[in-house]
Amino acid sequence: MSNGLKIGCGVGALLTVILIGFVMWGVGVYNSLVSLDEGVNQAWSQVENQYQRRADLIPNLVNTVKGVANFEKETYTAVAEARSQAAKIKLTPAMLSDPNAFAKFQSAQDNLGSALSRLLVTVERYPELKANENFLQLQAQLEGTENRISVERRKFNQIVQQYNTKIRRFPANFIAGIAGFTQKQYFKAVEGSDKPPEVKF
């Protein structure tokens, strides 16, 4: 075997090893991106679960309020309408990369939260409601759910940050671009949430 042939075989073997190494690296990066993407989807399902829990509590809360107090109709009508609007907007994991769809979903949920807050503030005028056991239990469940929503949104944002960071970093961004991994949206604070709410009686 000539020296030229030996060198050619050695170079070919080296290129094969490099190619295999590159493919294995690409597979590893791809698999880690899939794991992070699934983590985002799982975190999203937890957020949705808590929003659903809140939506399920609302009819009982509104009916209890209506049954105990001659309550302002526009207050519970606003809650019912906000709940209906929030229920209409479904956001699938595939849509988490769509800023417009995500903003609509978050806006509908924020409007529902705001309507519920107004309902609970208005309840302060009714001492018989504040003493009603059903109302107190529902209020405690709703407050617990709001806390869970906050926790799950924070976890979701943390997982989205890990995912978005990974797909933007070199050299993983190369594989992410080829495989179609795109940035996911974050939950943002409600506009004006940096200012304390004004409560009027």
Side-chain angles (χ1 to χ4, degrees), residues 92-108:
T92 64
M95 297 166 70
L96 294 176
S97 299
D98 182 346
N100 293 329
F102 198 87
K104 282 182 185 175
F105 178 86
Q106 183 175 351
S107 176

Side-chain angles (χ1 to χ4, degrees), residues 1 16 23 45 51 54 56-57 71 85 91 118 127 169:
M1 186 180 282
T16 302
V23 168
S45 70
Y51 278 133
R54 176 172 72 176
D56 292 345
L57 284 171
F71 210 62
Q85 288 299 103
L91 195 64
R118 285 192 303 275
R169 279 191 175 157

Side-chain angles (χ1 to χ4, degrees), residues 15-56:
L15 288 175
T16 302
V17 168
I18 290 171
L19 183 62
I20 290 171
F22 181 76
V23 168
M24 292 189 64
W25 168 81
V27 167
V29 169
Y30 178 83
N31 287 341
S32 69
L33 291 172
V34 168
S35 295
L36 287 171
D37 189 48
E38 285 303 311
V40 170
N41 294 343
Q42 191 275 336
W44 177 248
S45 70
Q46 292 304 317
V47 171
E48 283 189 312
N49 285 341
Q50 296 309 319
Y51 278 133
Q52 186 61 53
R53 177 182 163 88
R54 176 172 72 176
D56 292 345

